[in-house]
Amino acid sequence: MECILTQVIDSPTRADVILDLMVTNANELIGDVKTGGSLGCSGHALVELTVLRNMGQGKGKIRTLNFRKAKFLLFKELVNGSRETALKDEGAEQS
């Protein structure tokens, strides 16, 4: 699968050069890109854009933490500074 990236900002963002990049692989999600003005004393131009979203998409799943599986004693040892002891017998994945 080929992923084509596109630079979205095409106007100067500092003096007469483009110094700020915004790259996307989904052009249909970005619209109304404007540059101009500044924030405070910065020499960079502000970049404004609209993120377009299809409101008809399906509902996403909300992930929550399962605290019943938590290893609170391990967490307590990590917080108290004994990382070497707490992670001594754990592999890379578990650590």
Side-chain angles (χ1 to χ4, degrees):
M1 180 164 81
E2 186 176 324
C3 181
I4 299 173
L5 299 176
T6 304
Q7 160 66 346
V8 177
I9 299 173
D10 59 3
S11 301
T13 56
R14 180 139 200 236
D16 60 346
V17 294
I18 298 174
L19 291 182
D20 299 289
L21 299 175
M22 186 172 77
V23 181
T24 182
N25 64 349
N27 281 345
E28 66 277 3
L29 296 179
I30 306 294
D32 198 25
V33 179
K34 299 177 191 172
T35 57
S38 65
L39 183 62
C41 299
S42 174
H44 291 268
L46 291 174
V47 177
E48 290 183 61
L49 61 106
T50 303
V51 177
L52 307 172
R53 187 177 145 204
N54 181 358
M55 299 303 287
Q57 292 180 348
K59 295 180 181 179
K61 292 183 180 180
I62 297 174
R63 296 177 59 161
T64 59
L65 298 174
N66 183 352
F67 288 102
R68 291 186 186 115
K69 294 183 178 181
K71 297 179 182 178
F72 287 106
L73 290 176
L74 174 61
F75 180 74
K76 184 177 177 181
E77 287 180 25
L78 289 170
V79 170
N80 289 332
S82 59
R83 289 173 192 80
E84 293 80 19
T85 304
L87 301 175
K88 183 176 73 172
D89 296 325
E90 299 290 334
E93 183 79 20
Q94 290 78 22
S95 297

